[in-house]
Amino acid sequence: MSASKLPGPSGLPLIGNLLQLRGTDLWLKFVTWTQQYGPLFFLNAGGKPTIVIGDHKVAIDLLEERGGLYSGRPSNITVNEYMTRGLVFGFAPDNDLWKRLRTSAIEALNNEMSKEFPKYQNIEAVLLVRDLLKTPESYIAHVTRAVDSSLLSMIYGLPPSSESSPTYITISTIASTFLRTAAQRSLVDYFPVLNYIPASLSSWKRFAEKVYTKSDDLFERLYKDVEKQTEAGNIIPSVSTSLVRDPVHKDLTPKEKAWLAGTLFVAGSQTTSRQMQWFIPTIALHPDIQVKAQKQLDDVVGRERMPNLNDYEKLPYVQALVKEILRWRDVAPFGVPHSVSDVKNDVYEGHIVPKGSDCIVNVWGLNHDKTVYGPDADSFNPERYLNEQGQIQIIASRETKGQGHCSFGFGRRYCAGPGVAINNLFVQMACILWSFNVGPEIDENGNPIPIDVTQVVDDRLTMYPLRTNCCKFTPRFAGVEEIIKKTLEASGLGY
Ligand code: HEM
């Protein structure tokens, strides 16, 4: 029997389904289409063949089992050719450079030296609760600073950065520019002929080239600083120190190493801090869950010191909270799209998968699948990850690489830094819950100001709460501030 076309919603001539792909909550529309057309359906996104995966089985069959064919990235000429020149491997096609950069990145994030990284993460979590105590209304700025500063320490060995540090400001701006541009295809991706117009007549090319130069200057400067410091015998544990010193990275040029380091910041910053942006209002809406987590923190850590990453194994409730926030409100509801090899069409279960298609997994749909997570899949319930003894149990372990959710992606493109992300989320959540009861702010009439996590910003790559909710951080006991102060002083930092 010959293979047939994939099913999918019908669209208009030329633009196909493009108009149906507008609006927010597209992940819910994809759940409906999965029910209607099956777990693998086809869309024509303005002339771009696109396949959408709606269940775990198809995701494993294609992205894991046939990884050689399904590990590309959709073309984005502005980002890949001009803004990053293919050096940010998270956006790059599955070529030799991607392989070399990815292999080195994973090595540098998991080698002997990386065992020192939790120290940076611990201290940033303490700085975070200090900042929340002082100016709770700026909680989004505080989690963003804490995440970004911990990344700057892990990647370059830098001491904690303040919000006004020029390096912090420049690298955060570069990261958001890359991500914003990568999230949307631009006209040149639909009409490649535009790529022949010279930069003098194309404002998008000039802008992208300017961003490249600025990024290249910063990434090279930060990397060279580590190189000089290491050559002078001052070894500060970091990804860049490892890239400078360890022979295993010898296949990369200094420029590639500098961009690899920059890539890790770009990939790890907004993903993690936006996940914390979900956690804070969510926990404020669930006082019962806070009480349970705090009981475990009191039993294991006590009230004489703050929690840190050495407590990880003994705090399964906090581990479960990390898993549940990643599952319930994953910051990337479609992960990062893959693309299908453009060499030849593939055939899956009797259907043709057109070569060169973009490949989207509806990660939201998989993470909220009631056949996997049960009838309460739409509720925030960390206890789904705990067994009767209160120890971690993993749901759908094989399908989720042992995470219990699909929020770190699939196959050969699987997130390069899940350990760093999980540790950051864990220690920041543990320190917040140890220090505070988090709840809604109270207005002048004594009424709680409603917290709204139903409206979201969806920039097509990440998704986060629309509102800065008014959350109140009430210290849980009299000694909180003093212990935060002492912990910082013991690390040589001021309060
Ligand atoms: C909550 C935090 C994070 C989430 C939810 C997350 C999620 C993801 C996802 C969904 C992908 C794409 C996977 C795929 O294509 O199938 C990805 C890729 C990637 N992530 Fe993460 N990530 C997080 C934090 C981090 C951190 C902290 C780092 C590094 C320190 C990092 C480094 C990367 C890199 C380099 C890639 C590109 C991999 C490639 O294309 O080969 N991520 N991440």
Side-chain angles (χ1 to χ4, degrees), residues 304-320:
E304 303 294 317
R305 66 167 181 91
M306 301 192 63
N308 60 54
L309 283 161
N310 287 332
D311 301 310
Y312 188 88
E313 291 304 331
K314 287 181 240 126
L315 293 172
Y317 204 95
V318 184
Q319 290 180 46

Side-chain angles (χ1 to χ4, degrees), residues 73 80 83-92 97-98 101-102 105 109 151 155-156 171 174-175 178-179 215 218-220 222 239-240 243 255-271 413 415-417:
R73 288 283 189 224
N80 269 328
M83 208 173 260
T84 69
R85 300 196 186 165
L87 289 163
V88 170
F89 71 89
F91 304 141
L97 179 58
W98 162 69
L101 289 167
R102 185 177 162 94
L109 287 169
L151 286 167
I155 299 168
Y156 300 109
I171 201 162
I174 287 171
F178 283 173
L179 293 170
S215 315
L218 180 72
F219 295 164
E220 294 238 20
L222 288 170
V239 165
S240 296
L243 293 173
K255 186 182 279 301
E256 287 165 355
K257 290 180 182 180
W259 275 77
L260 184 167
T263 297
L264 294 183
F265 184 89
V266 173
S269 60
Q270 288 191 357
T271 40
R413 286 286 183 166
C415 176

